[in-house]
Amino acid sequence: GAVVSQHPSRVICKSGTSVKIECRSLDFQATTMFWYRQFPKQSLMLMATSNEGSKATYEQGVEKDKFLINHASLTLSTLTVTSAHPEDSSFYICSVRRRGPEIQYFGAGTRLSVL
Amino acid sequence: DQQVKQNSPSLSVQEGRISILNCDYTNSMFDYFLWYKKYPAEGPTFLISISSIKDKNEDGRFTVFLNKSAKHLSLHIVPSQPGDSAVYFCAASEGGIDKLIFGTGTRLQVFP
């Protein structure tokens, strides 16, 4: 069964609006979750590391004020794309880390289309 | 700068035969490698991993080979089945799996 639940699977919104994506760890408590983005014909690129109870760590080139991450509990992290623009249209996907063995489990992803 | 490369965007294999998916990397500090399979509209599913202290890891029909001197790893699927048709991503990390660097993927099609 699914280890990670991501919602919604698809969002179409108008330019300027904000969109929230949820990522839930179903099988275990996750102190760390990850957010990735994938543009067409490109690889998954890590955007940020979400840490429960503390601020997220963003990768170089990712605007923290545009991509707000909240990891309020051990099973839920949210990514909010603020004031979305067409260039933010992409596939966003989250993952949770499990130790022993070291594996990242991925959600099904969210296809964001900004008109 | 693409640190993990999958130079073959697609591969077509007959059912029952061996599928070999390749991955090259440039960062010699990578010490952990993973393969994921992805179906359309789904997230990547973990397949198999290998640490840099090993050169081979096997799990059922899936075997991953690591050649550190060549900075190359490969995934062998034997025998290939139609259900294996998907996009396969290799990923690498350094010092744990907190930051995975993914390749662009190879689309495998297994035909009857």
Side-chain angles (χ1 to χ4, degrees):
Chain A
V3 176
V4 181
S5 172
Q6 186 172 340
H7 178 80
S9 60
R10 179 159 185 124
V11 180
I12 301 173
C13 68
K14 292 182 178 180
S15 183
T17 60
S18 294
V19 174
K20 179 184 283 188
I21 303 169
E22 291 188 351
C23 180
R24 293 183 183 274
S25 175
L26 302 179
D27 285 359
F28 54 89
Q29 294 180 334
T31 56
T32 303
M33 296 185 181
F34 304 91
W35 288 96
Y36 292 80
R37 179 170 55 183
Q38 184 184 24
F39 291 109
K41 298 187 178 181
Q42 295 186 22
S43 56
L44 280 76
M45 298 290 290
L46 180 65
M47 296 175 64
T49 301
S50 171
N51 303 297
E52 188 268 337
S54 64
K55 292 183 179 180
T57 304
Y58 291 82
E59 295 299 305
Q60 189 174 9
V62 178
E63 300 175 57
K64 61 180 181 181
D65 294 330
K66 182 166 187 62
F67 299 99
L68 301 179
I69 293 173
N70 186 299
H71 194 151
S73 77
L74 288 171
T75 60
L76 175 64
S77 175
T78 61
L79 169 68
T80 301
V81 183
T82 61
S83 186
H85 289 96
E87 58 265 30
D88 297 323
S89 297
S90 186
F91 185 67
Y92 294 86
I93 190 164
C94 70
S95 72
V96 302
R97 180 188 67 195
R98 191 190 77 179
R99 297 202 182 277
E102 298 269 338
I103 299 174
Q104 280 192 26
Y105 293 96
F106 286 83
T110 298
R111 174 74 58 190
L112 172 63
S113 300
V114 184
L115 305 178
Chain B
D1 180 29
Q2 191 74 18
Q3 296 187 71
V4 179
K5 300 178 183 179
Q6 293 176 259
N7 293 317
S8 297
S10 64
L11 175 67
S12 188
V13 173
Q14 188 174 28
E15 181 179 7
R17 306 293 288 265
I18 183 171
S19 293
I20 300 176
L21 298 105
N22 295 304
C23 181
D24 297 294
Y25 61 95
T26 58
N27 187 346
S28 59
M29 298 300 291
F30 286 148
D31 55 11
Y32 197 68
F33 305 87
L34 307 90
W35 282 95
Y36 285 86
K37 177 172 70 174
K38 186 180 182 301
Y39 293 118
E42 294 184 13
T45 302
F46 170 76
L47 276 176
I48 193 169
S49 63
I50 188 167
S51 165
S52 61
I53 63 174
K54 295 185 175 181
D55 54 20
K56 177 183 175 181
N57 189 24
E58 189 173 353
D59 184 1
R61 296 186 298 115
F62 302 93
T63 303
V64 55
F65 295 92
L66 175 62
N67 183 334
K68 290 185 289 294
S69 60
K71 296 192 183 66
H72 177 84
L73 68 156
S74 61
L75 174 68
H76 292 210
I77 306 174
V78 182
S80 301
Q81 300 173 353
D84 296 329
S85 298
V87 178
Y88 289 78
F89 291 93
C90 68
S93 67
E94 174 187 346
I97 64 164
D98 280 5
K99 183 170 181 175
L100 292 181
I101 307 298
F102 281 86
T104 51
T106 296
R107 182 176 300 278
L108 173 65
Q109 183 176 8
V110 180
F111 59 93

